[in-house]
């Protein structure tokens, strides 16, 4: 596989996480991972840790083989990411996302800035259970369209960068299903501090994107990025930058 972004190839590595252009770069790497390596990678993980290593959607739960389950989950995530509106938060907004307390309320469709979305922050909003910084998230309809499915992406660091050709620059982490009319049970519970921080930042981000919609600035793709989108059969779209 040709990595979308890698050292020594014909792509410039864009790692300025404060730039809205980075949102589009990491969105494309996430999508390429989902359509090329996710199914095999996730099947391997499930073979070691069991199917419970990933939250099983209603459709995946009906399948018997781990390979079929992994392929089903990967295809569903690729569909969400492919149709996502793109959002990026400035350093100031990213700080607010991490520090503001989100008042608990049950999820409804009008609390989402888009039915499907992919957001990047200008600073890590949390750390995973193994300590890697969480820098992005995506969401989209559940299979029955009765809620939203969210997943987070953690930055690959240090020795793990040798996995960039397989995983892209960010590693898929902590998928979660939130039915409409409910609130995640893990939120603010002891033992779920990492997920609590991720969900709090995402909920705060959704609120800001809706309340301050008029302050969003559209950033169009550059020629090089547009070329990659065409290769991946992704529809061109702007990044909505919240200043």
């Amino acid at each position: 596989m040709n990595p979308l972004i890698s050292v020594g190839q014909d792509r410039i590595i864009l790692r300025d996480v404060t730039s809205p252009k980075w949102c589009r770069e990491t969105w494309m790497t996430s999508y390429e991972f989902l359509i090329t390596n996710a199914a095999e990678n996730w099947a391997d993980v499930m073979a070691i840790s069991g199917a419970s290593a990933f939250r099983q959607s209603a459709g995946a739960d009906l399948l018997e083989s781990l390979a079929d389950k992994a392929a089903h989950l990967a295809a569903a995530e690729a569909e969400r990411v492919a149709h996502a509106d793109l959002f990026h938060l400035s350093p100031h907004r990213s700080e607010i996302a991490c520090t503001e307390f989100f008042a608990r309320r049950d999820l409804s469709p009008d609390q989402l800035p888009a039915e499907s979305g992919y957001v990047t922050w200008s600073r890590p909003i949390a750390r995973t259970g193994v300590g890697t910084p969480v820098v992005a998230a995506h969401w989209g309809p559940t299979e029955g369209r009765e809620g939203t499915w969210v997943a987070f992406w953690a930055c690959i660091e240090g020795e793990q960068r040798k996995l960039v050709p397989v995983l892209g620059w960010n590693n898929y982490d902590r998928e979660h299903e939130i039915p409409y009319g409910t609130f995640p049970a893990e939120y603010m519970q002891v033992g779920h501090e990492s997920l609590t921080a991720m969900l709090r930042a995402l909920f705060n981000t959704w609120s800001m994107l809706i309340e301050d919609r008029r302050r969003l600035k559209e950033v169009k793709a550059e020629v090089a990025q547009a070329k990659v989108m065409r290769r991946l059969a992704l529809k061109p779209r702007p990044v909505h930058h919240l200043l």
Side-chain angles (χ1 to χ4, degrees):
M1 167 193 173
N2 263 335
L4 187 61
I5 303 179
S6 63
V7 177
Q9 302 225 359
D10 60 355
R11 292 292 309 285
I12 296 175
I13 299 174
L14 178 57
R15 297 294 294 161
D16 178 7
V17 298
T18 66
S19 169
K21 298 176 185 178
W22 180 69
C23 175
R24 189 177 290 103
E25 291 283 357
T26 191
W27 165 67
M28 291 188 294
T29 63
S30 295
Y31 180 71
E32 186 163 32
F33 163 70
L34 290 169
I35 64 173
T36 56
N37 292 320
E40 181 179 356
N41 178 275
W42 294 354
D44 289 344
V45 172
M46 284 191 255
I48 297 172
S49 304
S52 61
F54 293 87
R55 182 175 292 271
Q56 298 294 307
S57 67
D61 204 37
L62 297 174
L63 301 172
E64 293 188 6
S65 78
L66 296 181
D68 288 345
K69 288 178 180 292
H72 184 92
L73 292 172
E77 288 291 49
E79 182 75 5
R80 295 183 188 102
V81 171
H83 291 92
D85 287 354
L86 306 182
F87 302 96
H88 181 74
L89 269 64
S90 68
H92 173 64
R93 295 288 187 157
S94 298
E95 187 72 28
I96 293 175
C98 297
T99 57
E100 291 294 303
F101 180 78
F102 181 86
R104 173 171 177 159
R105 63 178 183 265
D106 291 342
L107 183 69
S108 62
D110 61 2
Q111 293 171 14
L112 302 174
E115 184 179 48
S116 296
Y118 189 104
V119 63
T120 51
W121 293 279
S122 292
R123 53 150 286 184
I125 50 92
R127 288 191 175 269
T128 66
V130 295
T132 51
V134 178
V135 294
H138 78 263
W139 67 91
T142 57
E143 291 178 5
R145 307 190 76 84
E146 297 175 348
T148 192
W149 182 285
V150 303
F152 296 88
W153 297 85
C155 184
I156 292 179
E157 295 184 316
E159 287 296 316
Q160 286 189 326
R161 288 192 174 180
K162 63 186 178 183
L163 299 176
V164 165
V166 176
L167 301 178
W169 274 106
N170 295 319
N171 188 26
Y172 181 90
D173 188 84
R174 299 304 295 267
E175 67 283 359
H176 204 83
E177 185 175 7
I178 311 174
Y180 292 135
T182 69
F183 194 83
E186 294 85 353
Y187 189 73
M188 296 299 291
Q189 283 189 0
V190 175
H192 292 280
E193 290 80 6
S194 176
L195 181 57
T196 291
M198 295 182 205
L199 290 173
R200 180 176 63 238
L202 183 59
F203 293 156
N204 285 331
T205 296
W206 285 344
S207 294
M208 286 189 285
L209 289 171
I210 292 173
E211 293 170 5
D212 297 330
R213 188 179 297 273
R214 292 183 179 180
R215 299 194 64 181
L216 291 172
K217 178 183 177 182
E218 288 192 359
V219 181
K220 295 183 179 180
E222 296 178 345
V223 174
Q225 290 181 329
K227 181 178 179 181
V228 177
M229 281 189 284
R230 286 195 297 270
R231 177 173 69 80
L232 295 174
L234 289 169
K235 182 179 178 181
R237 69 209 66 184
V239 173
H240 302 282
H241 185 198
L242 184 58
L243 301 170

